[in-house]
Amino acid sequence: QGHVQELVNLKEIDLQNNTLTALPGNLFETSKEINEISLSNNRMRTLNATLFWGLKNLIRLRLNHNKLTFID
């Protein structure tokens, strides 16, 4: 988690195909320049809505092929 927070100029992040089940709600809090997040093909069932707070440049969010049932 700490390493992503150090990437303040990060534009795109691809976390596809990693069997992720959860992400911390503050994962991208210092990476405000992100415009694309790919989380496809993981095992996430819920997402914390705070994960995307402040990402004003986000134009593409890929969540397909997960098991999402709830955004908290």
Side-chain angles (χ1 to χ4, degrees):
Q1 174 181 338
H3 298 294
V4 172
Q5 291 177 331
E6 295 171 10
L7 302 172
V8 295
N9 294 315
L10 185 67
K11 303 285 187 202
E12 298 177 8
I13 188 162
D14 185 345
L15 297 172
Q16 296 181 93
N17 304 307
N18 283 295
T19 64
L20 298 172
T21 57
L23 294 173
N26 64 344
L27 183 63
F28 304 121
E29 73 181 358
T30 59
S31 302
K32 302 295 185 193
E33 299 301 315
I34 293 178
N35 59 42
E36 182 171 337
I37 300 173
S38 297
L39 297 169
S40 301
N41 298 306
N42 282 293
R43 295 181 180 169
M44 292 183 289
R45 293 187 184 276
T46 64
L47 282 178
N48 189 324
T50 61
L51 185 64
F52 309 112
W53 285 2
L55 299 181
K56 295 178 182 176
N57 296 318
L58 186 63
I59 56 173
R60 181 171 290 133
L61 175 61
R62 294 184 175 152
L63 296 170
N64 54 307
H65 301 289
N66 277 286
K67 299 177 184 283
L68 289 171
T69 57
F70 191 70
I71 296 179
D72 182 15

